[in-house]
Amino acid sequence: QFLKAQAHHLKPTLYIGKAGVTEALLQELDQTLDALELLKIKLNQNTFEDEASVVDVLVRRLEGVEHVWTIGHTILIFRPSRTHPTRYPLPDR
């Protein structure tokens, strides 16, 4: 809930199109996650990927990525930065 609230104002940072999830996209996403930590990813209408398969690939291929939420064609993922203190310290449960 905390991360969903923090992401409410964010615009999609990455768009997945016809090519789907490529190695280049994963490398870019890895770098972007380190800088921004909390990202919205939008699946374009022309993609052959579905949300569940994209989430599965991202969680498997990018170390430490957590799937926070999916609504419609928008996926929210989170990974604390490896190079600087996190901007999104998770509240104690």
Side-chain angles (χ1 to χ4, degrees):
Q1 289 291 43
F2 171 75
L3 290 173
K4 283 176 23 178
Q6 297 298 311
H8 182 74
H9 72 281
L10 296 178
K11 301 284 185 216
T13 305
L14 199 65
Y15 292 86
I16 297 178
K18 198 175 226 177
V21 180
T22 63
E23 195 61 41
L25 182 128
L26 288 171
Q27 289 175 359
E28 180 182 344
L29 186 56
D30 191 47
Q31 293 172 353
T32 305
L33 272 168
D34 203 43
L36 301 177
E37 300 177 308
L38 188 60
L39 298 178
K40 281 186 181 177
I41 300 170
K42 181 89 170 171
L43 274 66
N44 290 341
Q45 289 182 339
N46 67 344
T47 188
F48 298 111
E49 306 273 352
D50 64 85
E51 293 78 12
S53 64
V54 169
V55 167
D56 184 51
V57 169
L58 296 179
V59 170
R60 275 190 297 110
R61 300 278 308 275
L62 295 174
E63 185 180 334
V65 167
E66 295 180 40
H67 172 241
V68 177
W69 190 46
T70 299
I71 186 163
H73 298 293
T74 304
I75 299 167
L76 181 63
I77 61 172
F78 172 74
R79 182 180 73 190
S81 177
R82 298 173 183 165
T83 58
H84 59 75
T86 184
R87 287 187 263 173
Y88 303 100
L90 298 176
D92 294 330
R93 293 179 186 194

